[in-house]
Amino acid sequence: MNMNHHSMHTLLSFLVVFLLTPLVVIAGSGATLAAPPPQVATEVTGIVFNDQNENGIYDDGEAGIADVAVSNGVDVVRTAADGSYTLPLIDDTVYFVTKPAAYMVPVDANMVPQFYYIHYPNGSPEYIQEFRGIDPTGEMPESLDFPLYALDEAMADNDFTFLAIGDTQVRDYQELVYFRDDIVADIVNEAAFGADFAVVLGDMLTDQLTVFDHYQQTMGLAGIPTFYLPGNHDMDLDAIDDTHHLDTYISYFGPTNYSFDHGNAHFVMLDNIRWLGATPNRSAGNFTDGFSEQALTWLANDLATVPTDKLIVLGMHIPLVTKNDAPAPMTPGGDRDALYALLADYDVLALTGHSHVTEIDLPGDNVEAWGAAMPFTHINAGAACGSWWVGPEDERGIPLAYQRDGAPNGYFVIDLQGNNFVPRMKGANVPMAKQMNVSLLSRWDLQLPANTVTSGELGHTQLAVNVWAGSSQSTVTCAFDNGTETGGTQSPFARDPFAIARQQAADSWMLENRSWQNLLPPPIRAKIGPENWLQTNASWHIWTCPLPADLEAGAHRVTVSVDDGFGQTFTESYLFDIWAME
């Protein structure tokens, strides 16, 4: 028989397949058939269980936990009475459990919660090269089980405290030391204010993702579980689109959209950054705001399991609104409106970072550029790094890094009591009782000593009170030592004189320490310098009180009282002098 090469190859391929295919004998017939190919798994099953011995393994005698939400990043199901669940199998996603209020998930040595399983069978694509991405995870386990630990009654109470930390923005190991000694040490010295956990609101790093490992170790020194979400400086900048730009982040912290319950609050952590793709110059700025379709689908499915009497605590990186940069950062309409619609039936507290300002916006607050009034309370928690760890060093060797609204670098301490919340801004290395800057605001520049005015300036000088966590419901009262008491007026376009004086010191430091800029005149340097964006500008939480016109020459004292509108009162005394003008 004469056969060409192609025919012979086809015959040999058939024989190989035939000989390697198992045969099934049909009973009683003597006939044989080829066995069907193995079925491809389309579902994931597992157990959520009470890990009584805390070994992470589902052991005999350990009970499953009913009615716990489990997700594949899109679908959300609740466990059955025996703790079992079934979810569709999806590749390149993270499976996770939503921590119930009465339980805690395991944490690793760095206090990072372990509530997830990364399923990337083939790992990150080849174009993720600069940083580690995700290693191939292979096939899904036969049973994907999630351990939980029962909390004692005190830890499961509806009244608790947590920390909200924005923009630590570490770019190298020197700045990691600043973060350790300024923020983490502050938390440790305050015994974390008794907080049950912390949430970090993105921009942990400044694009150098190799620092993640040491960053985790450093934050872990705070000694409390810490939940994370990504910022625009935590991305794989070589990702070609919005699909794998957070692979390295995921390899360290898990899902980018997830939830957990604590007390009567349902915490939702959302990635609201859309990566537009790698650029030839590796620009970190090629992003916009918004939610992926998958994120909004997951959120709708997640909230479908949450009773409307729960408080939703929403964590994101980019603010939904801001007065300092209106209408930015998050674009009015579109994804923002879709989020508002999903949350319409809930009490909500939103927490964000990104803008390096502290700002509290309340329901009904509005700026024309926002496109709509704020539907719920929104706190921009500011930046733990302040102005990117820039400025002259204090006695600890840590840069003076005031934020551009005049508030110090720091974080928020938030008390929850049922659905009610009380926020406090904690300045790094500053007593909690201090909640404001007080200084003199004059239209004259007479180069006088600090905290001094002349009698001729009294009609043109005001006391400027920068309330770091002030809002539209805050009130300020200035009680002078001559018996005069005046109410403060919120002055949204004022610049904080206290912060400006420190900004001048930071500018001098820049001239001395940023050599490539030293070659240029200051006006040009200020326009092109990367820190120019963080120059002290207008603040929406400044109140002014006029100095009484009848104050006599000499030394004086004023007591400033702030009612923050959340049931807290803060006071600070300010001493100043009036020089007589003849």
Side-chain angles (χ1 to χ4, degrees):
M1 180 172 60
N2 185 19
M3 300 180 65
N4 61 30
H5 177 76
H6 176 74
S7 300
M8 179 63 74
H9 179 77
T10 302
L11 176 61
L12 289 173
S13 298
F14 171 77
L15 290 172
V16 169
V17 172
F18 177 77
L19 292 172
L20 294 179
T21 300
L23 299 180
V24 177
V25 178
I26 301 176
S29 69
T32 59
L33 294 175
Q39 290 186 336
V40 177
T42 59
E43 294 181 334
V44 175
T45 60
I47 297 286
V48 178
F49 65 98
N50 186 357
D51 188 12
Q52 292 179 309
N53 60 9
E54 300 187 1
N55 68 351
I57 301 172
Y58 181 40
D59 296 314
D60 289 342
E62 290 182 329
I65 304 173
D67 202 32
V68 178
V70 187
S71 179
N72 58 10
V74 179
D75 306 282
V76 178
V77 298
R78 289 274 179 172
T79 54
D82 62 354
S84 64
Y85 71 90
T86 300
L87 277 166
L89 175 63
I90 300 176
D91 288 342
D92 292 358
T93 192
V94 183
Y95 287 75
F96 61 90
V97 62
T98 293
K99 182 193 86 66
Y103 292 85
M104 184 55 192
V105 296
V107 296
D108 66 11
N110 298 322
M111 304 303 288
V112 179
Q114 303 297 296
F115 60 98
Y116 59 87
Y117 176 83
I118 300 171
H119 181 58
Y120 277 60
N122 299 313
S124 293
E126 291 183 357
Y127 58 74
I128 302 296
Q129 295 185 356
E130 184 173 8
F131 302 111
R132 80 181 195 185
I134 299 172
D135 291 331
T137 58
E139 295 182 1
M140 181 67 71
E142 183 177 343
S143 181
L144 182 58
D145 303 332
F146 291 102
L148 297 176
Y149 307 150
L151 293 173
D152 61 34
E153 186 174 343
M155 286 291 290
D157 189 52
N158 283 351
D159 298 351
F160 65 95
T161 299
F162 72 98
L163 310 181
I165 305 171
D167 295 59
T168 56
Q169 211 134 350
V170 170
R171 76 182 75 196
D172 54 31
Y173 285 97
Q174 177 60 69
E175 292 187 355
L176 191 64
V177 170
Y178 297 154
F179 169 58
R180 180 196 68 197
D181 294 346
D182 204 30
I183 300 298
V184 178
D186 193 82
I187 294 171
V188 170
N189 291 337
E190 298 285 359
F193 298 93
D196 288 358
F197 56 88
V199 294
V200 174
L201 301 167
D203 275 8
M204 291 165 275
L205 307 183
T206 306
D207 308 320
Q208 298 300 321
L209 307 191
T210 52
V211 184
F212 265 147
D213 183 65
H214 206 142
Y215 181 94
Q216 282 187 331
Q217 296 176 37
T218 302
M219 188 63 213
L221 298 176
I224 56 175
T226 302
F227 295 88
Y228 296 87
L229 60 80
N232 53 286
H233 287 289
D234 302 321
M235 301 187 295
D236 289 289
L237 300 182
D238 49 5
I240 63 174
D241 56 25
D242 200 48
T243 306
H244 290 278
H245 65 301
L246 290 170
D247 279 13
T248 298
Y249 169 90
I250 290 169
S251 73
Y252 283 99
F253 301 103
T256 59
N257 302 295
Y258 63 95
S259 61
F260 62 94
D261 291 333
H262 205 76
N264 195 52
H266 182 68
F267 285 74
V268 174
M269 308 294 273
L270 276 180
D271 168 28
N272 66 340
I273 301 160
R274 304 305 306 273
W275 178 236
L276 302 178
T279 61
N281 65 343
R282 193 181 170 275
S283 170
N286 197 30
F287 69 93
T288 187
D289 61 84
F291 305 105
S292 67
E293 181 180 350
Q294 177 176 324
L296 289 174
T297 300
W298 167 76
L299 180 60
N301 292 333
D302 175 76
L303 293 175
T305 70
V306 179
T308 55
D309 62 352
K310 291 273 190 180
L311 171 69
I312 304 296
V313 180
L314 177 65
M316 296 172 296
H317 181 61
I318 297 179
L320 295 167
V321 297
T322 178
K323 297 185 178 81
N324 276 60
D325 302 311
M330 197 157 184
T331 307
D335 287 357
R336 196 185 72 174
D337 286 356
L339 177 68
Y340 287 175
L342 288 171
L343 297 171
D345 294 333
Y346 296 92
D347 292 334
V348 178
L349 168 62
L351 303 169
T352 61
H354 188 59
S355 293
H356 296 246
V357 297
T358 61
E359 185 176 315
I360 298 181
D361 301 303
L362 302 175
D365 285 358
N366 203 355
V367 172
E368 183 178 355
W370 290 357
M374 194 64 222
F376 44 72
T377 301
H378 179 284
I379 298 177
N380 192 314
C385 72
S387 53
W388 284 343
W389 302 114
V390 165
E393 296 179 350
D394 64 14
E395 70 279 1
R396 301 168 299 155
I398 297 172
L400 177 75
Y402 269 72
Q403 300 178 87
R404 58 197 178 105
D405 62 345
N409 66 311
Y411 53 95
F412 267 74
V413 179
I414 302 176
D415 298 324
L416 258 64
Q417 300 169 341
N419 281 26
N420 299 315
F421 45 85
V422 178
R424 292 166 287 165
M425 197 267 177
K426 176 63 173 69
N429 200 41
V430 174
M432 176 59 92
K434 183 170 178 59
Q435 292 288 311
M436 69 193 86
N437 301 330
V438 182
S439 53
L440 293 171
L441 178 63
S442 175
R443 68 184 186 184
W444 292 6
D445 184 11
L446 300 181
Q447 302 297 311
L448 297 173
N451 305 353
T452 302
V453 296
T454 67
S455 56
E457 293 178 84
L458 286 178
H460 311 288
T461 301
Q462 298 174 309
L463 204 66
V465 182
N466 187 343
V467 184
W468 305 334
S471 70
S472 59
Q473 67 182 2
S474 302
T475 58
V476 174
T477 304
C478 299
F480 293 88
D481 54 7
N482 70 342
T484 302
E485 184 172 292
T486 61
T489 301
Q490 194 167 7
S491 304
F493 300 108
R495 297 172 68 202
D496 183 355
F498 180 89
I500 290 172
R502 278 138 192 84
Q503 183 68 61
Q504 291 169 348
D507 285 346
S508 297
W509 181 90
M510 287 282 290
L511 283 170
E512 295 175 3
N513 292 274
R514 295 294 165 94
S515 58
W516 67 271
Q517 295 176 3
N518 294 348
L519 303 176
L520 303 170
I524 298 176
R525 177 194 60 77
K527 290 179 185 295
I528 69 170
E531 286 82 9
N532 180 54
W533 175 68
L534 292 168
Q535 294 286 313
T536 301
N537 60 8
S539 171
W540 285 75
H541 43 75
I542 290 181
W543 282 255
T544 55
C545 293
L547 295 185
D550 58 351
L551 283 178
E552 298 179 353
H556 290 276
R557 171 179 169 177
V558 58
T559 300
V560 179
S561 299
V562 174
D563 181 340
D564 73 343
F566 291 97
Q568 301 176 113
T569 300
F570 302 100
T571 62
E572 183 161 324
S573 294
Y574 180 76
L575 310 181
F576 63 102
D577 275 278
I578 298 176
W579 285 5
M581 287 188 67
E582 298 181 2

